[in-house]
Amino acid sequence: MPARNHAQWTATPPLKGDEWIDSRIYSDQAVFDDELERIFKKVWVPVCHESELSKPYDFRTFSIANEPILVTRGPDNQVRAFLNVCPHRGMLIERRPSGSFLEGQPSGNPKRITCMFHAWQFDLKGNCVYVAREKEGYQDRLCKEDVGLRRLRCEVKFGGFVWVTLDDNPAVGLEDWAGKPFECLRKTLEAEPMEVFHYHKAIIETNYKLWHDTNSEFYHDFMHYHNRVTGFNDAYFARKNESFEHGHVVVGTFEVNYQNYEGFESRAGLSFPHLPPNQWYMIDLFPGFNFNLRGSALRCDIVTPLGPNKVMIEFRGLGLKRDTPEERQTRINHHNSIWGPFGRNLHEDLIGVTGQGTTMRPGTEPRRVLHGRQENQTIHDENGMRHYYDEWGRWMNRLPNDPEQPWAARAEAQPAVAAAE
Amino acid sequence: MAMNGVNAADAVRDTIYRATMYLDAQKWEDWLGLCDESFHYAIKSFSPEINYDMIYLQGSRKEMLTMMRLLPKHNTDHSPLSRHTSVYTVDVAPDGKTASAVSSFVVYQNMLDGVNAHIDAGESRLFLVGKYIDKLTIEDGKARFIAREVRLENRRLDKGSHWPI
């Protein structure tokens, strides 16, 4: 067909209803606001790795769905999460990204979480232990026991990642949420302690789901010279995309031929425990978290949606805590030559999703985005994205290909699609 | 013959500034022409988030050359980079044969591709801030890099880059 006029361009594609979506789900403010309330305030979020809080009194700060979060390791070695908000007058308690409460602060004592504004202090379990001039101001009307921090559900799991949810009563526990997709790597990731050696962030003008889409589909490997020369063979094209409950997807492994890229080397010598050499697994968790193991280095992407057309992506690289300095250097090189901010692939991926963000800015005409490749659920099949948007539609009560319609309308409008599922 | 300290320091500054111009012009082989065979390049940054001194990229002269020659096979952001370098200190060894230097730099990205080239092209944005920590050898009046550590203040790098800084 030659280039199309407007009616042809905006016509429903000749695909089943779950094989394309409406770009308004990437660009509408109302959809975005709904996502924070209905999804991000309900799911388990991997905020960091326990090695970032290696000693008692260490802390890290984050945000989930605009809510500031404080994660600490207590003197009892337990990792806990709190809302990073002072119960007095709403001050952000800890402003730094990381540090230790072992040191005293200008307004507070060592081993205390102190709000600098009025010197209220909390212990590492979130109990309020000091209110300045408490009796003088509150008499017997309010006491320390009334003003503890807001604690959040927090678990360390799946290789030492720290998971937090804003929901006191999540629909499922963390094991039920992500245990099955992690099964392919659980033995590997839990064999021995890991350590983060890489961190950087990107703030990109695109929707967070477009980043997750890129992690969920490998058809875009045509964009990566590195992946073409190290990957494209029969075993690569046989890799399976396996869908799991709750919208998660795992991309199966194969042996990557790193030495086919000039200047690169096999990673066999530093394979993670219990893995054959040069394997490549990918775990994509709904709604936007990715664990990507290429033989000798683990990468983790965490998205923080900032707007319908803006996302922060935090990139971490991990090795084994017991690495010798030489082994660590090699792992770092393996990780960063592809995935670092100056690496071969990540720059290309980010250019790709930035381009999508440009065409799907708020106010642009709704477009049809195709997710219709069917290749027996192998590597270039887009079943991973279809599975994701099926879950997204349920959480949002919106049809991905017509977000003004409730999810319930799907079965009536598209019986053939429902049957195909 | 070893140079006197003033001349040696001038030679070091000249090499650092020529390197800036070659890098801006994307004349990668000319830049590596200023580097000794033993040259080692690294981009580093300390992350308070993970309390770790990170290496974002590193390689020998040969590895950097290989990387540059493969660039045309990769998709990349076309927005050129402009480096503003100020040499702060040059310390020449007593024998005049080696020197170390610390320079401050900022890198501007002169938008070409941009997010939306129609809007962004032609605009310059601050991209990176940091220091060059260089070691050089001095021979026959010329200074050549033995090692360059690019010490970034940034940990937010957005789209990143395929190019050395």
Side-chain angles (χ1 to χ4, degrees), chain A residues 229-277:
Chain A
V229 300
T230 62
F232 279 10
N233 59 27
D234 290 345
Y236 167 90
F237 286 107
R239 292 176 78 186
K240 283 279 189 180
N241 287 317
E242 190 179 358
S243 302
F244 290 85
E245 197 178 6
H246 308 307
H248 311 317
V249 174
V250 169
V251 182
T253 188
F254 83 117
E255 186 170 352
V256 182
N257 300 299
Y258 290 104
Q259 64 279 4
N260 288 357
Y261 185 91
E262 189 181 350
F264 280 17
E265 61 184 11
S266 166
R267 299 165 171 212
L270 284 175
S271 291
F272 265 49
H274 308 297
L275 281 185

Side-chain angles (χ1 to χ4, degrees), chain A residues 98 199 201 203 261 336 347 358, chain B residues 48 55-56 74 115 158-159:
Chain A
S98 63
Y199 176 86
K201 64 177 84 165
I203 297 181
Y261 185 91
N336 285 349
H347 182 53
T358 299
Chain B
I55 301 172
Y56 280 156
H74 286 274
V115 171
D158 294 349
K159 280 188 283 184

